[in-house]
Amino acid sequence: MEEASLSSEQVPDSECNEIQKEEDGVMTELDYQNGLSEGRKEFVAPAVGMEFESYDDAYNYYNCYAKEAGFRVRVKNSWFKRNSREKYGAVLCCSSQGFKRIKDVNRLRKETRTGCPAMIRMRLVDSKRWRILEVTLEHNHLLGTKVKSIKKMGSGTKRKSESNSDAEVQTVKLYRALVIDAGGNGGSNSNAREVGNFTDHPNQLSLKKGDTQAIYNYLCRMQLANPNFFYLMDLNNEGRLRNVFWVDARSRAACCYFSDVIYFDNTYLSNKYEIPLVALVGINHHGQSVLLGCGLLAGETTESYIWLFKAWLTCMSGRRPQTVITDRCKALQSAIAEMFPRSLHRFGLSHIMKRVPEKLGGLRNYDAIRKAMIKAVYEALKVIEFETAWVFMVQRFGVGDHEWLRSLYEDRVRWAPVYLKDTFFAGMSAARPGDILNPFFDRYVHKQTPLKEFLDKYELALHKKHKEEVLADIESRSSSPLLKTRCSFELQLSKVYTREIFKKFQYEVEEMYSCFSTTQLHIDGPIVIFLVKERVLGEGNRREIRDYEVLYNRTAGEVRCICSCFNFYGYLCRHALCVLNFNGVEEVPPKYILSRWKKDYKRLYIPDVGSGSVDATDRVQWFNQLYRSALQVVEEGVISLDHYNVALQAFEESLNRVHDVDGRQALPAFEESLNRVHDVESRQE
């Protein structure tokens, strides 16, 4: 077994023709004693969601677990496909399960069957792995300690023989894959780390004593509390924990709405924090950061990043982002090229500018170089302007051989705003001085934060972020913003945008008055290029006049400014608004009012579940869609006490309806509940 993977995603049985068969499998013989030995290692017991590469891997794992726990394993049932005779399901149980029939009792042998309930039920799933679907850990008899394996071939059992050495290797791998000893993730020193996070070829997480158990306990607890919580654990060849990924239920719901642009935050991993944390972050309809998934990685390798992205896509139903923003990293770049070939990969500008003091601070004339670089990056509106300014900086200060500046220039099409005008960023472009992409867990994680402390802070951070979103929802819907001008654009979008997004757009409307001239430059059929002059604050707070070209197509209702504010931030700039106003347009065209910024976005937008119709056998798809629909009712229900009362009553009525009729009526019941909550808001208005 090359690697093991523990997953929380529960997949129910699908309909198929079955043949059920009683078997006796490989048995183990042990000497019974009272209680368990004191020095035994602590196992991660079987759990719902564990996955194995093959049936034999799963069987051998349970057999190894049984050896250490002190009981014998028997194959109770197996299921085979009718046509191919391929095994697709099995139940492994304690050998003391059930009771012998009276006629089968051997009076010379002591009766060992006690009706023990301990068992696991597993099944071959779509991924071609064997997944544990049901677990009972409790025994109703004393457990032994010394175990020696013997082969017992049942009448209906056929097993391929294998050499003792092969069996031993396989057993050791499976044993170590799920054992947690006193030293954490395999280290003999409880206070030290056996393998560093940041070796040239990292192959396991660097964990302290108890960290592996803490991770596993936390993920299991979260998954039990909410079945839509998803996690995946990656084990190396020796069975050591290498990578972990998880995403909570609310983040999974957010992925359906806000995964068009994602920021992959590996700040803590690349800066060698105590915890090698990475996070996938999006932007919600209030412009707030929202968590879309989390992970712990053994190192900054292409393989680790690919594993994490695959894990994320597994719970995303294959939905890919339009734009992916990351730090500059070759391994990350290769992983994104493989996993998101159709997405636009861009480097975070704020990360690059943040490193300027570190990379250039030791140069003579540093202040002048920094100013020249800022001018080239933020003020250039055309490619030729950027190229000219960069060459001037390099030649004037003699930094042509500076390695960091040279590599930056080679990557310029991925980070310099002048090259990214056709990339949609949803406000995460950081294309203006002062714009920053802050880590999602900023203020919750510092360089020495231990893993166990982070797991506690993780829930606090998510609770705080969710509370901020709920309050912003309430504020956006319960009150009207104060208008500052008589412009029709301002009035139009005050009724549509969430409060925070409207404030940003409102600022653009106000700044229309700093644009004092709008003239035609060129006409080409229906396309007209306008020149808008604006007074801006330049160096030393001096007023300067800057020219902006705006393309306008009246026939198609298109307007595009050279500043590309719409693609960078998701709303029209002052220059485009001036051109619309100049041409007698009184409302912003619908194509420039993005649904993702609307105050009722979640109400109006029902995420696509991946296909036009519901799969009649896919209960996971049913669960996800029902959860999203129910979450919409919850989010509407917190707007006011009236909303809450109606939502609660609607839930109770929906549950009664589902009890009375076939389960397929659950989704229409939720939709009716949501409509009733909407009616409350309409009556209030």
Side-chain angles (χ1 to χ4, degrees), residues 418-586:
V418 73
Y419 293 98
L420 309 180
K421 295 180 183 293
D422 293 325
T423 301
F424 181 66
F425 284 93
M428 289 197 284
S429 65
R432 296 168 182 161
D435 288 352
I436 297 175
L437 284 175
N438 286 317
F440 183 85
F441 292 103
D442 195 27
R443 297 191 305 250
Y444 293 93
V445 177
H446 53 76
K447 194 110 180 176
Q448 303 301 325
T449 300
L451 178 64
K452 293 177 183 178
E453 181 182 332
F454 166 72
L455 293 177
D456 293 333
K457 289 184 174 181
Y458 170 83
E459 294 186 64
L460 290 174
L462 261 61
H463 177 74
K464 181 176 183 293
K465 295 284 187 180
H466 174 57
K467 183 177 179 180
E468 290 173 352
E469 181 175 337
V470 170
L471 292 176
D473 278 335
I474 295 173
E475 183 184 21
S476 293
R477 295 180 185 179
S478 62
S479 61
S480 299
L482 178 66
L483 301 182
K484 298 182 179 180
T485 71
R486 296 182 180 180
C487 180
S488 59
F489 303 140
E490 183 186 16
L491 176 62
Q492 175 195 6
L493 294 186
S494 68
K495 303 174 182 178
V496 177
Y497 282 158
T498 59
R499 178 63 63 91
E500 286 304 313
I501 300 302
F502 174 71
K503 285 181 180 178
K504 296 176 181 179
F505 175 76
Q506 187 180 47
Y507 180 72
E508 295 298 320
V509 173
E510 290 182 87
E511 290 301 305
M512 287 174 62
Y513 296 98
S514 65
C515 302
F516 61 91
S517 173
T518 302
T519 57
Q520 291 185 5
L521 273 185
H522 179 71
I523 300 176
D524 183 9
I527 299 175
V528 182
I529 297 178
F530 288 87
L531 182 68
V532 177
K533 292 183 178 292
E534 181 188 9
R535 293 187 181 91
V536 298
L537 281 177
E539 190 174 349
N541 289 329
R542 291 178 299 189
R543 283 284 181 177
E544 298 178 0
I545 296 176
R546 192 165 297 164
D547 295 342
Y548 294 87
E549 294 180 9
V550 181
L551 181 149
Y552 178 62
N553 186 332
R554 179 184 294 273
T555 305
E558 293 182 355
V559 59
R560 294 187 60 182
C561 180
I562 196 170
C563 75
S564 199
C565 176
F566 181 76
N567 276 338
F568 288 155
Y569 298 98
Y571 47 83
L572 288 181
C573 64
R574 63 200 71 170
H575 319 111
L577 295 176
C578 282
V579 169
L580 290 178
N581 185 62
F582 181 84
N583 286 275
V585 179
E586 296 183 353

Side-chain angles (χ1 to χ4, degrees), residues 265-549:
D265 180 11
N266 63 341
T267 303
Y268 309 109
L269 177 64
S270 61
N271 290 340
K272 300 176 176 52
Y273 276 52
E274 179 80 6
I275 51 174
L277 176 69
V278 296
L280 294 123
V281 182
I283 290 290
N284 68 11
H285 52 315
H286 300 289
Q288 302 166 336
S289 59
V290 56
L291 189 66
L292 306 178
C294 261
L296 301 174
L297 300 183
E300 295 181 90
T301 66
T302 300
E303 293 74 21
S304 290
Y305 288 134
I306 287 177
W307 180 88
L308 183 123
F309 291 140
K310 283 183 178 178
W312 185 61
L313 290 175
T314 297
C315 68
M316 280 279 292
S317 301
R319 190 182 292 106
R320 265 115 172 128
Q322 180 179 341
T323 307
V324 182
I325 305 169
T326 72
D327 198 1
R328 295 174 68 232
C329 171
K330 292 296 183 183
L332 194 50
Q333 191 171 339
S334 298
I336 290 174
E338 178 172 336
M339 295 305 302
F340 306 113
R342 297 185 179 180
S343 302
L344 297 175
H345 181 202
R346 303 295 182 243
F347 297 148
L349 179 57
S350 64
H351 288 294
I352 292 173
M353 301 309 291
K354 189 176 181 179
R355 288 197 173 95
V356 169
E358 172 195 345
K359 298 294 185 179
L360 305 180
L363 297 177
R364 194 180 56 163
N365 298 321
Y366 162 70
D367 289 337
I369 295 173
R370 183 181 62 85
K371 289 180 181 178
M373 185 175 178
I374 290 174
K375 185 177 181 66
V377 171
Y378 292 112
E379 296 185 13
L381 294 174
K382 298 179 180 180
V383 170
I384 186 63
E385 294 176 1
F386 173 83
E387 297 284 352
T388 301
W390 191 273
V391 170
F392 173 79
M393 175 188 71
V394 168
Q395 292 181 349
R396 179 179 179 184
F397 300 107
V399 290
D401 58 350
H402 192 280
E403 180 60 27
W404 187 70
L405 287 176
R406 184 189 60 78
S407 65
L408 263 189
Y409 183 73
E410 291 176 355
D411 291 336
R412 63 193 181 282
V413 296
R414 291 185 183 270
W415 62 267
V418 73
Y419 293 98
L420 309 180
K421 295 180 183 293
D422 293 325
T423 301
F424 181 66
F425 284 93
M428 289 197 284
S429 65
R432 296 168 182 161
D435 288 352
I436 297 175
L437 284 175
N438 286 317
F440 183 85
F441 292 103
D442 195 27
R443 297 191 305 250
Y444 293 93
V445 177
H446 53 76
K447 194 110 180 176
Q448 303 301 325
T449 300
L451 178 64
K452 293 177 183 178
E453 181 182 332
F454 166 72
L455 293 177
D456 293 333
K457 289 184 174 181
Y458 170 83
E459 294 186 64
L460 290 174
L462 261 61
H463 177 74
K464 181 176 183 293
K465 295 284 187 180
H466 174 57
K467 183 177 179 180
E468 290 173 352
E469 181 175 337
V470 170
L471 292 176
D473 278 335
I474 295 173
E475 183 184 21
S476 293
R477 295 180 185 179
S478 62
S479 61
S480 299
L482 178 66
L483 301 182
K484 298 182 179 180
T485 71
R486 296 182 180 180
C487 180
S488 59
F489 303 140
E490 183 186 16
L491 176 62
Q492 175 195 6
L493 294 186
S494 68
K495 303 174 182 178
V496 177
Y497 282 158
T498 59
R499 178 63 63 91
E500 286 304 313
I501 300 302
F502 174 71
K503 285 181 180 178
K504 296 176 181 179
F505 175 76
Q506 187 180 47
Y507 180 72
E508 295 298 320
V509 173
E510 290 182 87
E511 290 301 305
M512 287 174 62
Y513 296 98
S514 65
C515 302
F516 61 91
S517 173
T518 302
T519 57
Q520 291 185 5
L521 273 185
H522 179 71
I523 300 176
D524 183 9
I527 299 175
V528 182
I529 297 178
F530 288 87
L531 182 68
V532 177
K533 292 183 178 292
E534 181 188 9
R535 293 187 181 91
V536 298
L537 281 177
E539 190 174 349
N541 289 329
R542 291 178 299 189
R543 283 284 181 177
E544 298 178 0
I545 296 176
R546 192 165 297 164
D547 295 342
Y548 294 87
E549 294 180 9

Side-chain angles (χ1 to χ4, degrees), residues 123-246:
R123 185 182 180 88
L124 184 66
V125 295
D126 292 340
S127 63
K128 301 303 179 185
R129 293 185 178 214
W130 281 79
R131 179 175 295 162
I132 296 179
L133 302 178
E134 183 180 350
V135 175
T136 301
L137 297 177
E138 296 77 15
H139 296 260
N140 64 359
H141 56 89
L142 293 177
L143 298 179
T145 54
K146 296 181 180 179
V147 181
K148 57 181 179 180
S149 296
I150 62 171
K151 292 268 186 170
K152 180 179 178 182
M153 303 303 291
S155 58
T157 305
K158 294 181 180 180
R159 287 187 181 274
K160 295 181 179 179
S161 62
E162 56 185 353
S163 68
N164 291 336
S165 61
D166 289 344
E168 173 123 11
V169 169
Q170 188 178 36
T171 299
V172 168
K173 285 185 178 180
L174 286 162
Y175 175 92
R176 298 184 71 188
L178 293 165
V179 172
I180 302 173
D181 60 29
N185 197 22
S188 59
N189 184 341
S190 62
N191 295 317
R193 298 171 182 260
E194 183 183 54
V195 178
N197 267 341
F198 310 105
T199 58
D200 292 337
H201 301 284
N203 196 36
Q204 75 177 63
L205 279 174
S206 178
L207 300 175
K208 289 183 176 179
K209 178 182 177 181
D211 280 354
T212 302
Q213 187 67 60
I215 294 171
Y216 185 73
N217 290 345
Y218 173 79
L219 297 177
C220 287
R221 176 169 59 83
M222 294 297 290
Q223 209 275 327
L224 287 172
N226 192 318
N228 210 33
F229 182 93
F230 175 90
Y231 71 88
L232 203 62
M233 304 177 78
D234 175 39
L235 309 173
N236 64 18
N237 292 344
E238 289 73 40
R240 304 302 180 189
L241 188 58
R242 179 166 52 193
N243 302 305
V244 184
F245 171 78
W246 73 93

Side-chain angles (χ1 to χ4, degrees), residues 11-21 23 52 54-56 58 75 77-91 120-133:
V11 176
D13 297 352
S14 59
E15 299 292 332
C16 63
N17 295 325
E18 304 177 350
I19 299 177
Q20 186 170 335
K21 186 174 181 181
E23 291 186 349
F52 301 88
S54 67
Y55 169 80
D56 287 338
V75 180
N77 302 104
S78 292
W79 288 269
F80 297 83
K81 293 182 179 178
R82 187 176 297 275
N83 296 328
S84 66
R85 301 292 298 173
E86 177 189 3
K87 183 182 290 188
Y88 72 90
V91 174
I120 63 171
R121 181 171 65 88
M122 57 188 184
R123 185 182 180 88
L124 184 66
V125 295
D126 292 340
S127 63
K128 301 303 179 185
R129 293 185 178 214
W130 281 79
R131 179 175 295 162
I132 296 179
L133 302 178

Side-chain angles (χ1 to χ4, degrees), residues 629-649:
S629 299
L631 190 60
Q632 286 184 301
V633 181
V634 171
E635 291 179 338
E636 293 284 330
V638 299
I639 294 175
S640 70
L641 182 59
D642 289 339
H643 285 77
Y644 167 79
N645 290 330
V646 171
L648 190 60
Q649 181 182 358

